[in-house]
Amino acid sequence: MPKHQNKWEYPLLAGTAGLGIAAVSMLFSSVQYINGISRSAENNVVYEVLTTAPELARLQMTVAARFLPESPVTDDDVALRFGILENRMVVLGTAESRRLRQDGDEAIALIERMQKTVREISPRMQHLKTSADAVAILSAIEPLNTAAAQLAALTTSSSSGRIAENRAKLIGIFWQLLSEILGLLICGILLIALLRRARRVARHSASSDVLTGLPNRLSFNSTLSEEFGRGNETGSLIVMMIDLDHFKHVNDTLGHAAGDQLLSLAATRLLTAVPEALLFARLGGDEFAAIFRETDAERFAVDVAQRMLETLHQPFDLFGSLVTASGSLGIAIASPDDLGSDDLMKNADLALYAVKDATRGAYRLYHPALKQAYLDRQILASDLERALEKDELELHFQPVVSLGSGRTSGFEALLRWKHATRGRISPAEFIPIAEETGFILPIGRWVIADACATAATWPDDISIAVNLSARQFGDPQLKASIVSALSKHGLRPSRLTLEITESVLIQNDHIVLATLNDLRAIGVRISLDDFGTGYASLSYLTRFPFDAIKIDQSFVRCSTGEEDSLIIVQTICELAAKLGLSTVAEGIETEEQLAAIRATGCDEGQGYLFDRPLPASECATRIALEQLSWVREGATAALNTIASIPRPAEI
Ligand code: C2E
Ligand code: MG
Ligand code: MG
């Protein structure tokens, strides 16, 4: 949860809790006051005081009427009235009654005085026999009237004071409660707003990518399946998947912060380039995708794809380093054959895969043939898994010739696959499958072992070169398998050259460099293959002490037609000489090319002009014939020398 939310969340929660507690305590207080008022009313304490005077009056009237002629008042009536008064005195004097009335000293003194008077009158009431007794009792009762009136006045005023006080308190409580409830209401509203915002943020972060702020794969998939459900009536649904080429290289060479920066900048550019997109998302890593709907789908898709690729062409400024980037793009247009949005994604993926497998930096529209190619590839992959045990793999060896002496200095081991039904399959086709599936690990170990075994049958000055794939650098047994092959066949490590391409370094820079250093330390030579075709060939020369570079055959092929290619080859050779590296030119096919390459100062050459890759048995024949020709050349030279010596007769 973002920080600014926490800042308000806790004070609000504390405020709400405080207000809640205050409101509850206020409620208790008000209940107390209300109870007090209602209890006063229930016990009728004021009423008891106020009715004391009328009770006294009734007693006085009863006593006065007792001895009137033909009076209906009896002694029992008098006793009843007096009893009521006595009882009233007891009630007025109880502690509870006093507490409820909150009697002051004056009221207490009055009640005690009245009680005392009633107690004094009580025995005289037993002897009420004559009108004189009645007069005497009436005059004894008389002070009670004043006291009762005073008590009534005192009680009334204190009770109305108390009621006014309670009412004022209740009104105060009402306002306080009202403000607390309002406070609670505001806090509640703010908390709900915070909660809604937090939910919005949570929903957003679950459906969007943190780095670029774009929707993520989850939201892409849900939008795509929604759109797919709508059918194609308003236009065909289009999915485009774009992948940044060699993104890992940027990460490895410039660091992850620069990689993140590249992703953010590329995301912004791509998003701006596709205003028509229903959704543009980052699927993960360096992979982005967009959904469109358009009637003229194919024309539209090609137009947008070009726009997206072009927008990446301008260099990116990654914290001061200018980096050029490119992307590969796969397009799929919904067709009636698609059963679900997944099919559309798979098709776009297949199209993207086809671009990455070929040129990169381009786009490709999905075609059912791609699916077939994919399925064929799957079948080939499963056949390849068993190729080793079925003994279908074989090594051929192409000679590497010293351009100075014209002699074979070594051979490059090149894999061949004799497929049971498809016949010979080119390594250019099956090596990428082996790399992708990981079968290259057991195959690679077998290649090293077989190449070393064959090289051990050759003269000691003839070397062997073996190609290594990037994936093999993840093989923990790589070094051990090389060391064991060398020692098993008694091959000097310097006779073995390992050829790697730039792609190996791009993919696993640190691990690869460490492994290469390890291998070089045991005396094995390392060569940079296909030099000049990659991404940053020159920069790799400064990062690892290679022993040799193999100039790619594309330069050699052009060396006789294009001046520039020859200049490049010459410059590479001069640079290599300065760095202490030897050079091998690949793909020499004609005498013309040989002459041109030889003139550049290149050390060695390889190509069909010298020989195609040969089975091991033919290598032995070639070496033997070459040795024989040296012997013949040597013998001819010797004979010529002998022939040139003057004969005795001629002396
Ligand atoms: P590479 O290492 O650059 O090998 C040189 C390729 O150029 C070989 O193709 C070779 O037959 C071909 N070549 C040689 N001279 C000429 C020529 O004069 N003209 C033309 N047009 N081509 C020539 P190949 O044997 O088809 O191998 C292709 C690639 O497959 C190799 O390129 C290498 O990258 C890979 N590869 C082959 N064997 C292995 C292996 O055992 N392990 C690994 N990891 N890769 C291998
Ligand atoms: Mg090679
Ligand atoms: Mg090569």
Side-chain angles (χ1 to χ4, degrees):
M1 192 180 282
K3 271 189 177 159
H4 63 273
Q5 278 193 347
N6 279 340
K7 195 173 103 186
W8 288 110
E9 190 181 321
Y10 292 110
L12 266 174
L13 277 174
T16 312
L19 281 169
I21 291 167
V24 169
S25 79
M26 275 291 136
L27 269 174
F28 275 118
S29 306
S30 66
V31 166
Q32 240 173 341
Y33 288 121
I34 290 164
N35 268 351
I37 291 169
S38 63
R39 228 177 308 151
S40 309
E42 260 172 39
N43 287 287
N44 223 349
V45 283
V46 178
Y47 174 82
E48 281 161 358
V49 172
L50 294 182
T51 53
T52 303
E55 284 302 336
L56 263 174
R58 264 187 222 121
L59 172 66
Q60 283 168 320
M61 278 166 60
T62 314
V63 172
R66 170 68 186 88
F67 294 105
L68 288 178
E70 294 174 22
S71 168
V73 178
T74 63
D75 283 346
D76 287 344
D77 293 335
V78 174
L80 172 71
R81 287 288 149 205
F82 190 70
I84 290 172
L85 184 65
E86 274 184 320
N87 186 295
R88 180 61 50 89
M89 286 305 116
V90 173
V91 169
L92 288 182
T94 62
E96 174 66 0
S97 153
R98 281 183 190 172
R99 193 184 60 77
L100 289 171
R101 282 192 311 272
Q102 296 187 2
D103 284 345
D105 289 346
E106 205 180 340
I108 292 169
L110 273 172
I111 291 168
E112 282 172 358
R113 219 168 55 217
M114 286 169 77
Q115 286 173 331
K116 188 171 168 249
T117 308
V118 170
R119 268 197 309 278
E120 283 167 1
I121 293 168
S122 179
R124 291 163 70 178
M125 291 301 280
Q126 315 294 324
H127 307 289
L128 181 62
K129 302 289 184 216
T130 64
S131 57
D133 292 338
V135 171
I137 284 172
L138 284 173
S139 62
I141 289 172
E142 183 53 35
L144 285 178
N145 286 330
T146 325
Q150 280 177 342
L151 186 61
L154 274 177
T155 307
T156 310
S157 96
S158 103
S159 139
S160 53
R162 258 196 338 274
I163 288 172
E165 198 183 308
N166 278 343
R167 190 181 298 142
K169 277 183 184 162
L170 274 176
I171 290 172
I173 285 174
F174 167 77
W175 285 115
Q176 205 168 327
L177 262 178
L178 191 71
S179 54
E180 281 169 7
I181 287 168
L182 277 176
L184 274 174
L185 211 68
I186 293 168
C187 283
I189 290 169
L190 288 174
L191 275 174
I192 288 170
L194 273 186
L195 204 73
R196 283 170 66 92
R197 191 191 158 127
R199 263 176 47 195
R200 235 187 3 257
V201 169
R203 217 178 299 136
H204 183 256
S205 56
S207 64
S208 70
D209 169 55
V210 183
L211 180 68
T212 58
L214 291 175
N216 61 13
R217 185 182 282 275
L218 203 74
S219 105
F220 183 86
N221 287 345
S222 88
T223 308
L224 184 63
S225 68
E226 262 173 44
E227 287 296 328
F228 191 86
R230 292 207 176 102
N232 279 347
E233 271 173 31
T234 54
S236 302
L237 197 59
I238 306 165
V239 168
M240 290 197 194
M241 285 172 77
I242 183 162
D243 205 295
L244 297 185
D245 299 329
H246 305 302
F247 171 70
K248 199 174 176 307
H249 179 71
V250 175
N251 248 355
D252 288 349
T253 51
L254 298 177
H256 286 263
D260 285 354
Q261 174 83 343
L262 175 60
L263 287 174
S264 303
L265 295 175
T268 313
R269 281 198 205 172
L270 289 167
L271 181 66
T272 323
V274 290
E276 311 93 332
L278 300 177
L279 190 84
F280 179 69
R282 181 182 172 209
L283 300 186
D286 58 348
E287 201 173 69
F288 300 88
I291 305 171
F292 304 87
R293 192 178 280 287
E294 189 62 43
T295 38
D296 188 2
E298 197 167 322
R299 187 203 51 76
F300 170 83
V302 167
D303 182 47
V304 172
Q306 280 168 345
R307 218 188 301 152
M308 286 171 91
L309 294 179
E310 268 163 28
T311 197
L312 296 176
H313 284 167
Q314 284 295 314
F316 289 89
D317 184 351
L318 309 182
F319 306 114
S321 305
L322 281 186
V323 169
T324 47
S326 66
S328 299
L329 199 150
I331 308 166
I333 300 171
S335 81
D337 293 343
D338 298 325
L339 300 175
S341 56
D342 276 3
D343 282 357
L344 205 55
M345 281 296 275
K346 274 185 210 146
N347 294 349
D349 210 18
L350 278 173
L352 173 63
Y353 184 78
V355 180
K356 288 208 287 192
D357 205 29
T359 45
R360 294 180 185 244
Y363 67 86
R364 183 102 187 239
L365 207 72
Y366 170 77
H367 185 275
L370 286 180
K371 192 178 269 172
Q372 194 48 55
Y374 175 75
L375 293 175
D376 290 348
R377 206 178 153 102
Q378 299 288 93
I379 294 168
L380 210 61
S382 87
D383 289 348
L384 186 60
E385 193 179 2
R386 287 183 300 273
L388 249 185
E389 60 193 61
K390 285 168 79 182
D391 210 17
E392 290 179 352
L393 296 181
E394 187 187 5
L395 280 185
H396 279 198
F397 301 87
Q398 185 173 34
V400 178
V401 174
S402 162
L403 295 183
S405 65
R407 290 180 183 172
T408 303
S409 54
F411 289 87
E412 177 178 4
L414 294 161
L415 251 180
R416 297 292 176 257
W417 183 10
K418 294 169 292 162
H419 190 276
T421 53
R422 288 185 50 182
R424 287 195 179 278
I425 300 177
S426 156
E429 190 178 348
F430 72 83
I431 292 285
I433 298 175
E435 286 170 348
E436 207 176 277
T437 52
F439 302 151
I440 194 70
L441 301 194
I443 292 175
R445 278 180 231 132
W446 175 83
V447 168
I448 291 166
D450 198 65
C452 287
T454 307
T457 64
W458 302 332
D460 192 57
D461 58 343
I462 293 192
S463 64
I464 176 76
V466 172
N467 292 285
L468 282 190
S469 290
R471 197 73 193 258
Q472 289 179 264
F473 285 86
D475 180 4
Q477 297 174 33
L478 178 68
K479 186 180 166 189
S481 63
I482 292 171
V483 172
S484 119
L486 289 172
S487 68
K488 184 174 174 192
H489 301 289
L491 213 66
R492 273 184 297 109
S494 61
R495 282 183 68 191
L496 175 65
T497 302
L498 300 175
E499 294 189 8
I500 60 158
T501 57
E502 253 180 64
S503 62
V504 171
L505 291 161
I506 284 175
Q507 284 174 43
N508 244 330
D509 213 349
H510 302 297
I511 301 168
V512 172
L513 288 182
T515 314
L516 285 177
N517 275 311
D518 257 16
L519 291 170
R520 200 163 182 268
I522 60 170
V524 172
R525 284 163 48 90
I526 312 289
S527 161
L528 185 55
D529 205 354
D530 302 342
F531 186 82
T533 53
Y535 189 68
S537 305
L538 285 176
S539 89
Y540 287 115
L541 292 182
T542 61
R543 297 174 62 204
F544 182 77
F546 287 99
D547 296 284
I549 48 182
K550 294 189 80 172
I551 303 163
D552 190 69
Q553 42 184 285
S554 55
F555 297 104
V556 176
R557 216 169 293 137
C558 302
S559 62
T560 47
E562 293 172 24
E563 186 74 4
D564 286 353
S565 289
L566 202 60
I567 293 172
I568 290 173
V569 175
Q570 191 163 1
T571 313
I572 293 173
C573 292
E574 282 166 11
L575 179 79
K578 281 191 181 131
L579 293 172
L581 316 180
S582 66
T583 41
V584 184
E586 294 185 284
I588 301 176
E589 292 182 352
T590 64
E591 288 291 349
E592 265 178 298
Q593 287 170 348
L594 175 61
I597 295 298
R598 194 174 262 149
T600 62
C602 187
D603 300 313
E604 292 171 316
Q606 187 179 341
Y608 294 166
L609 178 69
F610 307 111
D611 239 332
R612 288 186 176 255
L614 306 167
S617 56
E618 290 182 33
C619 292
T621 314
R622 179 184 162 92
I623 295 169
L625 286 174
E626 202 173 78
Q627 281 176 338
L628 205 65
S629 79
W630 298 342
V631 173
R632 202 182 299 136
E633 276 168 28
T636 312
L639 282 174
N640 286 341
T641 313
I642 292 167
S644 65
I645 299 171
R647 291 187 186 165
E650 292 170 3
I651 297 173

